[in-house]
Amino acid sequence: ITSPSSAPWFCHEIECPGYSVVASNSTSSPKYEMRLYPESLWVSTDLEFDSNEEYQQAVYMGFRRLFAYISGANEDQIKVDMTAPVLNKITPGAGPFCKSNLTLSFYVPLAFQAQGPPKPNADDVYVSSEPQQHVFVYQYSTLPPGPSGESIVADAVALSRVLKPGSFESSYYYSAQYDPPFRIFNRHDEIWMRANV
């Protein structure tokens, strides 16, 4: 399992959740790897969207909610370190006229993983627990300010097509973004799909 001192380059010296690589496929297009993530805490918020434009607005709104939390909008009125990635769980709508759901999350720093982070002040921000899980990961890079909703969908579809049917959870997927909008070089983005292991 990776630790802050041995974190991948794309964490850019801020804390990321640890993981171990248990398998990889370098011959498929796109290439992917399977990672094992331990149980972990995240601070999260939920939103809805039904277009690429609304997706970008939802991401912006969700980020502002979570950034306010780590800036001191919590019961202890303390600042919590920024971590990576910003994890966007996307659950597509059930039909063409249904909104899609977005859960935007920040990883809780290791210092708070055991006892839990301070409680959010806002009703629309909450602490969530992710179980130990295997995920298929497609790694790529985008230009600033980061991937659009449309490109995320296209990349998720591309990854799903090279995975064995039934090997992954198909009702949702994740976009993991490691960079602020102003970073120009050495950007890193990922698509995650939870493996059925």
Side-chain angles (χ1 to χ4, degrees):
I1 301 291
T2 59
S3 65
S5 61
S6 62
W9 67 267
F10 48 78
C11 293
H12 297 293
E13 299 184 353
I14 64 174
E15 192 172 340
C16 295
Y19 66 86
S20 57
V21 177
V22 296
S24 62
N25 188 328
S26 60
T27 60
S28 65
S29 180
K31 301 175 182 178
Y32 65 88
E33 64 186 19
M34 180 190 283
R35 296 177 184 167
L36 173 61
Y37 282 92
E39 182 178 1
S40 57
L41 296 177
W42 298 70
V43 59
S44 304
T45 188
D46 298 324
L47 304 103
E48 293 183 330
F49 66 96
D50 62 6
S51 66
N52 181 59
E53 182 178 348
E54 280 198 7
Y55 171 78
Q56 301 295 349
Q57 293 171 349
V59 169
Y60 176 73
M61 182 180 298
F63 186 93
R64 290 193 62 175
R65 291 177 186 174
L66 299 185
F67 191 77
Y69 166 80
I70 67 171
S71 297
N74 54 69
E75 65 178 357
D76 294 342
Q77 298 182 344
I78 61 171
K79 290 186 177 181
V80 179
D81 288 343
M82 183 66 194
T83 58
V86 176
L87 190 63
N88 301 327
K89 179 183 180 181
I90 300 166
T91 305
F97 303 107
C98 299
K99 286 183 175 289
S100 297
N101 295 311
L102 169 68
T103 299
L104 193 143
S105 302
F106 288 179
Y107 174 67
V108 171
L110 189 60
F112 294 102
Q113 283 289 327
Q115 78 274 22
K119 182 180 178 181
N121 290 342
D123 292 337
D124 52 10
V125 176
Y126 59 94
V127 177
S128 59
S129 177
E130 287 292 325
Q132 175 178 285
Q133 58 186 317
H134 290 80
V135 293
F136 294 109
V137 180
Y138 164 43
Q139 305 176 67
Y140 63 106
S141 179
T142 58
L143 296 173
S148 67
E150 292 173 341
S151 69
I152 290 169
V153 170
D155 289 327
V157 169
L159 176 58
S160 70
R161 286 177 175 169
V162 299
L163 300 176
K164 292 181 180 180
S167 67
F168 62 96
E169 172 58 58
S170 60
S171 63
Y172 60 85
Y173 54 90
Y174 299 89
S175 169
Q177 300 176 26
Y178 289 81
D179 303 293
F182 53 80
R183 176 170 286 129
I184 298 175
F185 303 109
N186 298 320
R187 297 183 61 84
H188 185 84
D189 300 283
E190 296 176 344
I191 297 293
W192 293 6
M193 289 189 168
R194 186 170 181 175
N196 292 328
V197 175

